Amino acid sequence: MSPSGLPSEQELAEVDAQWRAANYLAVGQIYLMSNPLLREPLRPEHVKPRLLGHWGTSPGLNLVYTHLNRVIKARDLNAICIWGPGHGGPAVLAGSWLDGSYTRTYPDITRDEAGMAKLFRQFSFPGGVPSHVAPETPGSIHEGGELGYSLSHAYGAALDNPGLLVACVIGDGEAETGPLAASWHSNKFLDPVTDGAVLPILQLNGYKIANPAVLARIPQAELDELLQGYGHEPIHVTGDDPRAVHQDMAAAMDRALTTIAAIQRAARTEGLTARPRWPVIVLRTPKGWTGPHEVDGVPVEGTWRAHQVPLAEVRDNPEHLRLLDSWLRSYGIEELFDEHGRPREQVLACLPRGERRLGANPHANGGLLTRDLPIPPLEEYAVDLDKPGTGLHEPTRVLGGLLERVMADTAERRDFRLVGPDETASNRLQAVYGATGKAWQAELLPTDEHLARDGRVMEILSEHTCQGWLEGYLLTGRHGLFSCYEAFVHIVDSMVNQHIKWLRTTRHLPWRAPVPSLNYLLTSHVWRQDHNGFSHQDPGFVDHVLNKSPEAVRVYMPPDTNTLLATAEHVLRSRDYVNVVVAGKQPCFDWLTLDEARAHCARGAGIWEWAGTEDGTREPDVVLACAGDVPTQETLAAADLLRRHLPDLTVRVVNVVDIARLLPAEEHPHGMPDREYDALFTRDKPVIFAYHGYPWLIHRLAYRRADHPHLHVRGYKEEGTTTTPFDMVVRNDLDRYRLVMDVIDRVPGLAVRAAAVRQQMTDARTRHHSWIREHGVDLPEVAQWTWPH
């Protein structure tokens, strides 16, 4: 540092050398297959046959990586960076190769000429690495494929990490997405005392793939007003002269970090509670900076043409080959790398060491820091059961008591969070407020309840932001649960795709330690949204998830309170999964004791002997199968009707908790072998399956089974409205009367013998329709039904 506090001439020269080296490595990754140091004249065969990659964003990312290195070393910072711009892989790979963390992770990619050749060849090459920042990239917790989630990931990583700085580069294209726009509000939930800090860096290079970027084309005053309205104080770095930009970027970093340190000091030692205005750096440099200015007579640098591969015909066009050679040599290869291809001392001078390196920080490999979650004995929360189907409890309310204890037991270590879009109390989980409040840094009013600056319940009416927070929290090694209305979790369909892909990839990377699972609790579900109507009725998220990588996804439908507790215990302890748990919040019959529930959940599917009429001497005449709390109730009510009206019929009742059990064993780790499936469902008897969601999912899962021609599934078929609870199942032909009719229609010889019973069932449905239109509530025989046996 110079006496003025600004970087000295020597430091600026070191930063510039590191930046130029990173730019050279980024260009080399996009273009070169061999001859990494240009020891030979560049020839077409040195260039990859398929040119893939994104140059336009790389110089700006390299600038950020370089300047973060300087301040991390100078201030001994514990820091990670979220790289938001899509396909920014060349820059981040270059940075981690220079600081040695890439070689630490992949010892065969040595920090010399041979390793550089491998680094170049593997990029966007068969058997190599992707063009974006991916799980394979050391120091990464954010995949730069789909855009919009960088800032919420950054805040999630900073929560409960008071010693961590999370820098976040936001691409100007990404800044136009809805999820990113909502995530600016995350600073209203960040506690300067108990949380770390996020430093957003808005990278405005002017263009997306083919169009101008909105925030790069509005007046600076308007942009400042926008960022100030979000609660930030913008610091601008603008230019295309590397020396001037280095000076300004260094000053901006120092100013931002000094401000952050002052905010944290005021909150932590002086007790200041006013919401601070956090810094944000606005970086304006040309797209494709330092690349070709012009190609084939048209401008490239500073335009959309620099977005991907500025020179596309290098193998076939001698002029393009000449331009590439000139471009690569413009960085001063001999000044940057020695005769062995190792970075020279000037390049390495500003690099941090050990775990302070961005590519080696353990927070970016969060499983290394994970501690087991303390889950209390379920016996303390389980509901008592005298006999099945008589007592009623609200499953999620009971689960809320368990979560309160988890919150209390993690109060000191602060590594468990509950997130959701303004629905914690609506979903009956409000018991958690006995242990912690809702995170809130904005204005407080006397009428507010349960708001707390250090709260660990996170509520914002943006499912995207909730998902991003939780992903960032989990990937840095902590635990959590996302509670959401079932119909609206679809908002994060695309986000969960990306997270599942991340988990699937990391399972094949030995250096990535397993992280806590992403756990969804979907409640306020389709069958009990009768009061809110059609817009709130959609059970299809499980279909979406079960399309994804089998090794990473699990779907559970506990039918009662004790099975929900047993399921919750399992998913909260698990690692590297996306677990979807669908459970109701309305009063639900208790079917199993805790011991029975644990055994049933361990099996994933099983026969409820007490519910059927088998005597063990022969196969049943029919199997009534069910998955989900309301389908289970309707199935048991149908079994009761069959006992009364057709006592000679042998009925088996099968309940499924783990939906993937229906898949063949070779298709999913939880799938059943054919012999086990056949023993449960039989090979040739009718199976009437009452399912929580869309019926064709069950057919898809079971289509290879021997009994599939005999499988008949009832479920949700897009018949919804504002009505009564029982009318919802009637409208979708999932009701007890329809299930009995299905049995009569499908058991051979029963149609004639039980014609009168079938007529009674039809009459009951007709009576139901008349009753609800006159009285506005369900039939007494339905509303007051309990399991009588």
PDB file of all heavy atoms in Angstrom, residues 38-50:
ATOM      1  N   LEU A  38       2.442 -21.082 -27.229  1.00  0.00           N
ATOM      2  CA  LEU A  38       2.789 -20.578 -28.557  1.00  0.00           C
ATOM      3  C   LEU A  38       4.285 -20.670 -28.827  1.00  0.00           C
ATOM      4  O   LEU A  38       4.906 -19.760 -29.388  1.00  0.00           O
ATOM      5  CB  LEU A  38       2.302 -19.133 -28.736  1.00  0.00           C
ATOM      6  CG  LEU A  38       0.806 -18.873 -28.520  1.00  0.00           C
ATOM      7  CD1 LEU A  38       0.456 -17.436 -28.875  1.00  0.00           C
ATOM      8  CD2 LEU A  38      -0.041 -19.830 -29.330  1.00  0.00           C
ATOM      9  N   ARG A  39       4.876 -21.778 -28.417  1.00  0.00           N
ATOM     10  CA  ARG A  39       6.300 -21.975 -28.696  1.00  0.00           C
ATOM     11  C   ARG A  39       6.517 -22.206 -30.191  1.00  0.00           C
ATOM     12  O   ARG A  39       7.619 -21.966 -30.704  1.00  0.00           O
ATOM     13  CB  ARG A  39       6.831 -23.155 -27.896  1.00  0.00           C
ATOM     14  CG  ARG A  39       6.767 -22.951 -26.380  1.00  0.00           C
ATOM     15  CD  ARG A  39       7.543 -24.048 -25.674  1.00  0.00           C
ATOM     16  NE  ARG A  39       7.335 -24.044 -24.238  1.00  0.00           N
ATOM     17  CZ  ARG A  39       7.994 -23.245 -23.390  1.00  0.00           C
ATOM     18  NH1 ARG A  39       8.875 -22.375 -23.849  1.00  0.00           N
ATOM     19  NH2 ARG A  39       7.761 -23.322 -22.089  1.00  0.00           N
ATOM     20  N   GLU A  40       5.492 -22.695 -30.855  1.00  0.00           N
ATOM     21  CA  GLU A  40       5.540 -22.855 -32.309  1.00  0.00           C
ATOM     22  C   GLU A  40       4.632 -21.813 -32.944  1.00  0.00           C
ATOM     23  O   GLU A  40       3.716 -21.305 -32.299  1.00  0.00           O
ATOM     24  CB  GLU A  40       5.036 -24.246 -32.716  1.00  0.00           C
ATOM     25  CG  GLU A  40       5.681 -25.418 -32.026  1.00  0.00           C
ATOM     26  CD  GLU A  40       4.943 -26.703 -32.383  1.00  0.00           C
ATOM     27  OE1 GLU A  40       4.634 -26.913 -33.580  1.00  0.00           O
ATOM     28  OE2 GLU A  40       4.655 -27.481 -31.462  1.00  0.00           O
ATOM     29  N   PRO A  41       4.862 -21.501 -34.208  1.00  0.00           N
ATOM     30  CA  PRO A  41       3.900 -20.626 -34.902  1.00  0.00           C
ATOM     31  C   PRO A  41       2.513 -21.268 -34.859  1.00  0.00           C
ATOM     32  O   PRO A  41       2.365 -22.469 -35.035  1.00  0.00           O
ATOM     33  CB  PRO A  41       4.437 -20.569 -36.337  1.00  0.00           C
ATOM     34  CG  PRO A  41       5.895 -20.879 -36.197  1.00  0.00           C
ATOM     35  CD  PRO A  41       6.005 -21.847 -35.062  1.00  0.00           C
ATOM     36  N   LEU A  42       1.508 -20.472 -34.610  1.00  0.00           N
ATOM     37  CA  LEU A  42       0.159 -20.991 -34.445  1.00  0.00           C
ATOM     38  C   LEU A  42      -0.359 -21.544 -35.773  1.00  0.00           C
ATOM     39  O   LEU A  42      -0.338 -20.868 -36.806  1.00  0.00           O
ATOM     40  CB  LEU A  42      -0.767 -19.884 -33.944  1.00  0.00           C
ATOM     41  CG  LEU A  42      -2.178 -20.306 -33.509  1.00  0.00           C
ATOM     42  CD1 LEU A  42      -2.117 -21.281 -32.350  1.00  0.00           C
ATOM     43  CD2 LEU A  42      -3.001 -19.077 -33.120  1.00  0.00           C
ATOM     44  N   ARG A  43      -0.804 -22.791 -35.740  1.00  0.00           N
ATOM     45  CA  ARG A  43      -1.324 -23.443 -36.935  1.00  0.00           C
ATOM     46  C   ARG A  43      -2.764 -23.901 -36.685  1.00  0.00           C
ATOM     47  O   ARG A  43      -3.177 -24.081 -35.537  1.00  0.00           O
ATOM     48  CB  ARG A  43      -0.458 -24.653 -37.306  1.00  0.00           C
ATOM     49  CG  ARG A  43       0.994 -24.315 -37.627  1.00  0.00           C
ATOM     50  CD  ARG A  43       1.698 -25.507 -38.300  1.00  0.00           C
ATOM     51  NE  ARG A  43       1.707 -26.693 -37.459  1.00  0.00           N
ATOM     52  CZ  ARG A  43       2.646 -26.974 -36.546  1.00  0.00           C
ATOM     53  NH1 ARG A  43       3.646 -26.117 -36.353  1.00  0.00           N
ATOM     54  NH2 ARG A  43       2.587 -28.087 -35.835  1.00  0.00           N
ATOM     55  N   PRO A  44      -3.517 -24.144 -37.753  1.00  0.00           N
ATOM     56  CA  PRO A  44      -4.920 -24.545 -37.572  1.00  0.00           C
ATOM     57  C   PRO A  44      -5.094 -25.780 -36.698  1.00  0.00           C
ATOM     58  O   PRO A  44      -6.056 -25.858 -35.925  1.00  0.00           O
ATOM     59  CB  PRO A  44      -5.400 -24.802 -39.004  1.00  0.00           C
ATOM     60  CG  PRO A  44      -4.547 -23.913 -39.851  1.00  0.00           C
ATOM     61  CD  PRO A  44      -3.202 -23.902 -39.180  1.00  0.00           C
ATOM     62  N   GLU A  45      -4.170 -26.735 -36.780  1.00  0.00           N
ATOM     63  CA  GLU A  45      -4.327 -27.957 -35.997  1.00  0.00           C
ATOM     64  C   GLU A  45      -4.118 -27.736 -34.495  1.00  0.00           C
ATOM     65  O   GLU A  45      -4.433 -28.616 -33.693  1.00  0.00           O
ATOM     66  CB  GLU A  45      -3.380 -29.051 -36.502  1.00  0.00           C
ATOM     67  CG  GLU A  45      -1.917 -28.679 -36.473  1.00  0.00           C
ATOM     68  CD  GLU A  45      -1.445 -28.126 -37.806  1.00  0.00           C
ATOM     69  OE1 GLU A  45      -2.281 -27.535 -38.545  1.00  0.00           O
ATOM     70  OE2 GLU A  45      -0.257 -28.301 -38.116  1.00  0.00           O
ATOM     71  N   HIS A  46      -3.598 -26.585 -34.123  1.00  0.00           N
ATOM     72  CA  HIS A  46      -3.488 -26.252 -32.695  1.00  0.00           C
ATOM     73  C   HIS A  46      -4.832 -25.810 -32.113  1.00  0.00           C
ATOM     74  O   HIS A  46      -4.962 -25.694 -30.897  1.00  0.00           O
ATOM     75  CB  HIS A  46      -2.462 -25.147 -32.459  1.00  0.00           C
ATOM     76  CG  HIS A  46      -1.070 -25.510 -32.864  1.00  0.00           C
ATOM     77  ND1 HIS A  46      -0.161 -24.594 -33.364  1.00  0.00           N
ATOM     78  CD2 HIS A  46      -0.422 -26.704 -32.854  1.00  0.00           C
ATOM     79  CE1 HIS A  46       0.977 -25.205 -33.631  1.00  0.00           C
ATOM     80  NE2 HIS A  46       0.842 -26.486 -33.328  1.00  0.00           N
ATOM     81  N   VAL A  47      -5.782 -25.525 -32.990  1.00  0.00           N
ATOM     82  CA  VAL A  47      -7.069 -24.954 -32.586  1.00  0.00           C
ATOM     83  C   VAL A  47      -8.131 -26.054 -32.537  1.00  0.00           C
ATOM     84  O   VAL A  47      -8.144 -26.960 -33.371  1.00  0.00           O
ATOM     85  CB  VAL A  47      -7.494 -23.847 -33.569  1.00  0.00           C
ATOM     86  CG1 VAL A  47      -8.854 -23.259 -33.181  1.00  0.00           C
ATOM     87  CG2 VAL A  47      -6.440 -22.748 -33.604  1.00  0.00           C
ATOM     88  N   LYS A  48      -9.019 -25.972 -31.555  1.00  0.00           N
ATOM     89  CA  LYS A  48     -10.073 -26.970 -31.409  1.00  0.00           C
ATOM     90  C   LYS A  48     -10.988 -26.986 -32.632  1.00  0.00           C
ATOM     91  O   LYS A  48     -11.307 -25.923 -33.194  1.00  0.00           O
ATOM     92  CB  LYS A  48     -10.910 -26.670 -30.148  1.00  0.00           C
ATOM     93  CG  LYS A  48     -10.132 -26.784 -28.855  1.00  0.00           C
ATOM     94  CD  LYS A  48     -10.978 -26.376 -27.658  1.00  0.00           C
ATOM     95  CE  LYS A  48     -10.182 -26.506 -26.366  1.00  0.00           C
ATOM     96  NZ  LYS A  48     -10.947 -26.076 -25.176  1.00  0.00           N
ATOM     97  N   PRO A  49     -11.429 -28.162 -33.038  1.00  0.00           N
ATOM     98  CA  PRO A  49     -12.307 -28.230 -34.209  1.00  0.00           C
ATOM     99  C   PRO A  49     -13.687 -27.617 -33.964  1.00  0.00           C
ATOM    100  O   PRO A  49     -14.325 -27.149 -34.900  1.00  0.00           O
ATOM    101  CB  PRO A  49     -12.404 -29.733 -34.491  1.00  0.00           C
ATOM    102  CG  PRO A  49     -12.059 -30.397 -33.202  1.00  0.00           C
ATOM    103  CD  PRO A  49     -11.072 -29.505 -32.524  1.00  0.00           C
ATOM    104  N   ARG A  50     -14.148 -27.653 -32.723  1.00  0.00           N
ATOM    105  CA  ARG A  50     -15.421 -27.012 -32.363  1.00  0.00           C
ATOM    106  C   ARG A  50     -15.132 -25.949 -31.328  1.00  0.00           C
ATOM    107  O   ARG A  50     -14.684 -26.252 -30.218  1.00  0.00           O
ATOM    108  CB  ARG A  50     -16.418 -28.027 -31.799  1.00  0.00           C
ATOM    109  CG  ARG A  50     -16.832 -29.097 -32.797  1.00  0.00           C
ATOM    110  CD  ARG A  50     -17.811 -30.102 -32.150  1.00  0.00           C
ATOM    111  NE  ARG A  50     -19.111 -29.507 -31.886  1.00  0.00           N
ATOM    112  CZ  ARG A  50     -19.694 -29.461 -30.694  1.00  0.00           C
ATOM    113  NH1 ARG A  50     -19.072 -29.943 -29.631  1.00  0.00           N
ATOM    114  NH2 ARG A  50     -20.885 -28.926 -30.549  1.00  0.00           N
TER     115      ARG A  50
END
